[in-house]
Amino acid sequence: MKTYSASRNASGLRVGVVVSRFNPLISSRLLDGCVAELERRGCAPEDVHVAWVPGAFEIPLAARLLASSGRYDALVTLGSVIRGGTPHFEYVCRGVTDGVAGVMHETCVPVAFGVLTLDDIDQALERTGGAHGHKGAEAALAAIEMACLGRVLQGSPS
Ligand code: INI
């Protein structure tokens, strides 16, 4: 049996991060955790490029533009959508989820999904350095692993 495995070493990787300004406290916590994890695993600060967008709904377009540029080994998408009293939540969630998946599948650039979908702000705080870990850091790690796995699966050294 042959098993493909990838390192989690980010040295030499260039990573694009798309982050929504909506719910800015949560966005900044997600971004801090993401960048810290990328750098902790060897990514050079100048190889982390951050694009801010107004809300989660705009994340897929910015991600598509970055992915299509051919400049990035992986992308990380960050944001939070918090449930309100109207169906708007469902539309934004669907738009960002389907949109980000579409970018990844159509460009073959790994895109980690660090967009939180939540009932309230407390759930967001718990997942950005609280009791439920750090989803920004987890998304960064997923992006690193998929970039390295992509190199292995395509036959180039990781
Ligand atoms: N955008 C978010 O990122 N999070 C939210 O919770 C949110 N809510 O609740 O409305 C939200 N809406 C804005 C949306 O993403 C777009 O920016 C807006 O519709 C303009 O296209």
Side-chain angles (χ1 to χ4, degrees), residues 20 22-23 54-58 80-82 88 92:
S20 156
F22 212 95
N23 303 317
F57 195 73
E58 284 73 36
S80 59
V81 192
I82 299 181
H88 190 66
V92 174

Side-chain angles (χ1 to χ4, degrees), residues 61-82:
L61 175 58
R64 185 175 293 270
L65 293 171
L66 291 180
S68 310
S69 73
R71 296 197 302 266
Y72 297 97
D73 298 293
L75 302 181
V76 181
T77 57
L78 301 173
S80 59
V81 192
I82 299 181

Side-chain angles (χ1 to χ4, degrees), residues 43 55 72 93 123 136 143 151:
C43 199
Y72 297 97
C93 289
Q123 289 184 342
R151 289 181 176 183

Side-chain angles (χ1 to χ4, degrees), residues 10-143:
S11 63
L13 296 182
R14 183 177 291 154
V15 179
V17 181
V18 182
V19 55
S20 156
R21 270 198 306 275
F22 212 95
N23 303 317
L25 169 64
I26 304 307
S27 294
S28 65
R29 288 167 67 107
L30 285 167
L31 182 60
D32 288 350
C34 171
V35 171
E37 184 71 11
L38 291 172
E39 293 184 5
R40 194 171 74 81
R41 291 186 177 267
C43 199
E46 63 271 23
D47 287 333
V48 180
H49 298 183
V50 178
W52 287 89
V53 296
F57 195 73
E58 284 73 36
I59 288 174
L61 175 58
R64 185 175 293 270
L65 293 171
L66 291 180
S68 310
S69 73
R71 296 197 302 266
Y72 297 97
D73 298 293
L75 302 181
V76 181
T77 57
L78 301 173
S80 59
V81 192
I82 299 181
R83 191 183 291 280
T86 73
H88 190 66
F89 172 86
E90 321 289 346
Y91 295 122
V92 174
C93 289
R94 190 175 315 149
V96 64
T97 307
D98 293 350
V100 166
V103 171
M104 178 158 67
H105 298 149
E106 287 159 29
T107 64
C108 282
V109 174
V111 186
F113 190 67
V115 180
L116 308 179
T117 55
L118 310 146
D119 290 327
D120 55 51
I121 193 88
D122 286 339
Q123 289 184 342
L125 294 170
E126 286 165 2
R127 287 159 180 78
T128 52
H132 291 287
H134 204 304
K135 299 301 174 189
E138 285 177 23
L141 188 54

